[in-house]
Amino acid sequence: MKETSRKFLLPEVQIPNIVPIAMQNFTQYFKGFEKVAAVREIFGEDTDRVLSELKVEFFSSKFGYMGVSDEDGHLIVSAYYLKNGDPTSKYLDVVHELVHVKQYRQGKALFDETFEYHDRPTELEAYRHAVDEARRLGMSDHEIFEYLRVDWMSEDEVRKLARNIGIKPPPRRGDGERVR
Ligand SMILES: [Zn+2]
């Protein structure tokens, strides 16, 4: 569940553990992202300006991780997840969400309900970018697959998502493998 078992060397960023339940400036809490190559690939020359203008809303709930508002493009982050989540997962989630920030700025509909989540083009673009970064960190397909698991996607859905973004799902328990 949004867990990676190994520790990976992340770029020099700071992600807060304890946050107020309020709307804040992104760069006040998430530091160093403007220097990350994977982030600069998203926004190019506009990186510093976009991040300095970005707002982040911390909410209190045991459910959910991060998202982007389709009303004004601000980042929405669970304080519980920041406190309890795995550092690599949180880092990759920020990279993923920043792709949605760009999509919002491009006028794209973030939640096009004509697609299911695991097929939605805006999601696939965000996942592909985060997965490129995960591979750069040294994560295997199996580790990336585990990162993709969330409680609101079924096993079939997470497997479809994985295939859509070029991650080879591990064999299903009980099929293909025979243990003596
Ligand atoms: Zn997304």
Side-chain angles (χ1 to χ4, degrees), residues 155-169:
E155 179 73 13
D156 278 344
E157 287 167 341
V158 72
R159 283 173 178 276
K160 284 179 191 162
L161 171 65
R163 281 191 288 268
N164 284 340
I165 58 174
I167 297 295
K168 189 171 180 286

Side-chain angles (χ1 to χ4, degrees), residues 15 18 28 61 95 102 109 126 140 145 164 169 175 177:
I15 296 175
I18 307 290
Q28 193 182 341
S61 164
V95 171
K102 181 202 71 176
S140 67
F145 184 79
N164 284 340
D175 66 48
E177 278 179 303

Side-chain angles (χ1 to χ4, degrees), residues 48-132:
D48 294 79
R49 184 172 53 82
V50 172
L51 295 191
S52 70
E53 290 170 2
L54 182 60
K55 299 285 182 191
V56 56
E57 176 185 358
F58 299 115
F59 70 96
S60 176
S61 164
K62 280 201 173 190
F63 304 100
Y65 306 102
M66 299 188 193
V68 169
S69 161
D70 64 347
E71 289 181 3
D72 65 5
H74 76 269
L75 192 60
I76 303 168
V77 179
S78 159
Y80 180 86
Y81 179 47
L82 287 177
K83 194 171 175 196
N84 298 290
D86 158 82
T88 305
S89 298
K90 289 188 284 187
Y91 169 71
L92 293 175
D93 281 7
V94 173
V95 171
H96 173 120
E97 297 306 332
L98 289 176
V99 175
H100 289 321
V101 169
K102 181 202 71 176
Q103 291 166 340
Y104 174 82
R105 298 173 67 92
Q106 291 174 330
K108 290 184 183 166
L110 295 183
F111 309 120
D112 184 344
E113 296 292 338
T114 60
F115 295 94
E116 290 195 75
Y117 179 84
H118 57 266
D119 287 327
R120 193 173 297 149
T122 49
E123 289 306 333
L124 300 186
E125 182 187 13
Y127 275 110
R128 285 189 185 112
H129 195 67
V131 159
D132 282 348

Side-chain angles (χ1 to χ4, degrees), residues 18-33:
I18 307 290
V19 291
I21 303 305
M23 187 80 86
Q24 301 288 331
N25 291 320
F26 175 81
T27 51
Q28 193 182 341
Y29 287 87
F30 295 81
K31 297 191 187 285
F33 279 88

